[in-house]
Amino acid sequence: MPKYRVTQSAVTQLLEDVRRESIAIPELQRPFVWDSVKVRDLMDSLYNGYPVGYLITWQSVGAHLKGGQVAAHQQILIDGQQRITALRAAVAGLKVINKRYQSVRITIAFNPVTEEFATLTPVIKKSPEWISDISDLFNAPSTFGFVKAYLDANPDIDHAKVEASIGHLEAVKNAQIGIISLDDDLDVETVSEIFIRINSKGVPLSSADFAMSKIATYGERGRNIRKLIDYFCHLAVAPHAYSDIRDHDAEFAASPYLNAISWLKDDSEDLYDPAYSDIIRVAGLVGFSRGKASSIVSVLSGRDPETRKVDESRIPGAYDSLENALLRIVKKYHYENFVMTIKSAGFITSDMIGSKNALNFAYALYLRLRADNELSEGERKRIVRRWFVLSMLTGRHSGSFESTWEQDIRRIGQQGAAEYLRQVEDAELTDGFWDVALPNALETTSTASPFFQTFLASQVASGARGFLSKSITIAAMHQQSGDIHHIVPKDYLQKHGYPDRGDYNQVANFALTETPINIGISSRPPSEYMAEIAQQIDSQRLTLGEIVDATDLAQNLAENAVPANLADVSAAGYPQFLAKRRQLMAAAIRRYYEKL
């Protein structure tokens, strides 16, 4: 059976459907990304009868229309937003939202003599040969009067040609644009698959895209909830945009949501800058205990999870739950305390965290635990820290993570977070993991590896100093400047039988150190630069770093999980050095985890 139907709609009818909101454009209040050249080209294609591609819509049940009505069926435009917005700008003469959230005009001019379209410029505006704004023709009360005025201003041109050209331009109002309407009973995954197959660019739409589109169909409230998500994510990255949003989006500024995120205008934290897809996922876990973004679409559509039938009476409550979850997510106190919790685990910069999903789940968990009045704040943070680090070490939130999320949230609700965490730890963080699996996982050249980054986090959390540093900590090097140093130098290894980067760039051969120390070591083997350190201790004269005490040196090597016999490591013993250091790094990570 067909899962869609194909219809044709005239440009003016299409714009009227958008005006009446029988076709909803979720992107309408987002910045218009097309430039004026693309708008010009679209008009030229319609004028010349060239194809401009199909629009794709999807039925939405229970959408709110202007005037407070509820639509039995409203079409959500899921592909074609930029084309519709361009038509609204060029044909209807309406303003678009630019990147500064200002309403601006994109004006397209037309020359009836040359039949050429152009973006309006001051020169074109002064030329009587050009129709400086084609929307004047489309909105003129009388085409005859419009043509007469043009001919009066250009008495010496070919009147017949001009009349034909303007008539041809006016006919653009009736140009047919194809619309592929997807059935309303299709699930999000099927709609996404159809979209990918139809769309010539093959650009995938995520479940979060559909969720954002669905949210925006719930009248003014839905639009503002959707913008709450958009603007929160935007301001987290670009706080300076606050005044643009406040000054140019009157509808949102009049809602209570702007005040809820106004604190971001002074925020400079970038450890956790979520995208809208992240916020959708966190909201799903917090508000609905759902791991899949597509589940939010079903809930907001009023679909009963047991009967699979739509019950429109469920829709208002679903939006209440979503709004409540989002306001908890964007609350300054919650956000800042969560970030502080993650930083207290040693993950102090965003580049230490390769899994945004681990952060997303941890934030959702933190917010849910805040609702448990029996938990102290200290216990709440302990659970969140351990869960986050466990996720980093086990890849719990990679791959098909959404089902795992739902299972975890359900069992946390049933058993309590502390008890369920203990069960997961007993199952996954066994002696075999710490003694075998983790050392093996550290056999990698990727400094972005979650295992290496967790090792660095363990050093930050313990206050460890940089390799051969007396006082400069790993935390300070992360936040200011420090070098990734080859403990057994690369040049030395290359000259002594290890030409491949897979050998000398093992993370077990890396340590953070001060730049002057890194330069001072250069390509010398450990036997040479450690002999210099020994001489420095004997003479108390600084030549490499500042360590002048043998006990302090031993402590520094231990802080960096470097074997105590480093001075004896040569090219011949390099493989054994790597194996030993991996064991020491894994042991350091275990001690760190158990203290979280």
Side-chain angles (χ1 to χ4, degrees), residues 272-327:
Y272 181 41
D273 288 336
Y276 69 85
S277 58
D278 300 311
I279 296 297
I280 287 290
R281 288 181 172 132
V282 176
L285 289 170
V286 173
F288 307 106
S289 298
R290 301 292 187 87
K292 295 182 179 180
S294 58
S295 296
I296 293 183
V297 177
S298 295
V299 173
L300 297 179
S301 298
R303 194 177 299 275
D304 188 311
E306 295 182 3
T307 65
R308 306 289 295 170
K309 293 182 179 179
V310 171
D311 178 358
E312 293 183 27
S313 67
R314 302 170 66 96
I315 295 175
Y319 275 88
D320 289 343
S321 296
L322 175 63
E323 179 186 60
N324 179 267
L326 290 172
L327 290 176

Side-chain angles (χ1 to χ4, degrees), residues 91-156:
V91 176
L94 299 176
K95 293 181 177 181
V96 301
I97 306 298
N98 69 8
K99 292 180 180 179
R100 297 195 63 189
Y101 299 95
Q102 296 170 307
S103 292
V104 298
R105 275 295 315 275
I106 293 179
T107 307
I108 303 301
F110 177 71
N111 188 321
V113 178
T114 62
E115 299 182 80
E116 175 186 1
F117 290 90
T119 302
L120 182 64
T121 65
V123 173
I124 288 176
K125 191 170 186 177
K126 292 178 181 178
S127 171
E129 189 176 302
W130 283 82
I131 297 171
S132 60
D133 185 350
I134 61 174
S135 71
D136 291 342
L137 169 63
F138 295 125
N139 296 307
S142 167
T143 303
F144 175 80
F146 185 91
V147 173
K148 184 178 184 302
Y150 179 86
L151 294 175
D152 288 346
N154 297 274
D156 299 327

